[in-house]
Amino acid sequence: QVQLVESGGGLVQAGGSLTLSCAASGSTFRINAMGWYRQAPGKQRELVAGISRDGSTDFADSVKGRFTISRANADTLYLQMSSLKPEDTAVYYCKASIPITTWRKDDYWGQGTQVTVSS
């Protein structure tokens, strides 16, 4: 079992910056990949950025060049967001994945943190 707690959300003006944090606890040594997702009202949850245990990263096209994802050991995940746009407004969720078998994994989610970008 893994517990995830996000923090750092808030209200920011367009063009501003914000850094989200995700603190993991429990069986963190089992975590492989971690990522940030977001869900805007009326839209599906989407991947924002992900990072694997070996440090490889992936970003949604809409945030490339503006967002950075980093991981401090297996316990803390960060999302540095800059040049924020109103369309970045959403609830941001942290996710951790633990491999069970070659084909199965367990995903754990945080409760989410609201990011609002005003124009």
Side-chain angles (χ1 to χ4, degrees), residues 10 12 17 40 54 57 83 95-96 102:
V12 63
S17 300
D54 65 5
T57 59
S83 302
K95 188 182 88 169
T102 301

Side-chain angles (χ1 to χ4, degrees), residues 68-97:
T68 301
I69 188 171
S70 61
R71 188 171 169 181
N73 50 64
D75 298 336
T76 310
L77 182 70
Y78 300 99
L79 184 69
Q80 294 175 289
M81 306 183 292
S82 60
S83 302
L84 283 162
K85 304 175 181 180
E87 50 264 42
D88 294 319
T89 295
V91 177
Y92 283 70
Y93 297 91
C94 174
K95 188 182 88 169
S97 297

Side-chain angles (χ1 to χ4, degrees), residues 19 37 55 59-60 64 75 90 92 107 113-115:
T19 297
Y37 290 71
F59 294 89
K64 284 181 180 177
D75 298 336
Y92 283 70
D107 290 330
T113 184
Q114 176 71 46
V115 172

Side-chain angles (χ1 to χ4, degrees), residues 2-7 21-24 34-37 45 91-96 107-113:
V2 170
Q3 296 78 41
L4 303 171
V5 178
E6 301 100 334
S7 61
S21 301
C22 173
M34 298 185 76
W36 288 97
Y37 290 71
R45 191 173 297 188
V91 177
Y92 283 70
Y93 297 91
C94 174
K95 188 182 88 169
D107 290 330
Y108 296 87
W109 294 88
Q111 81 289 350
T113 184

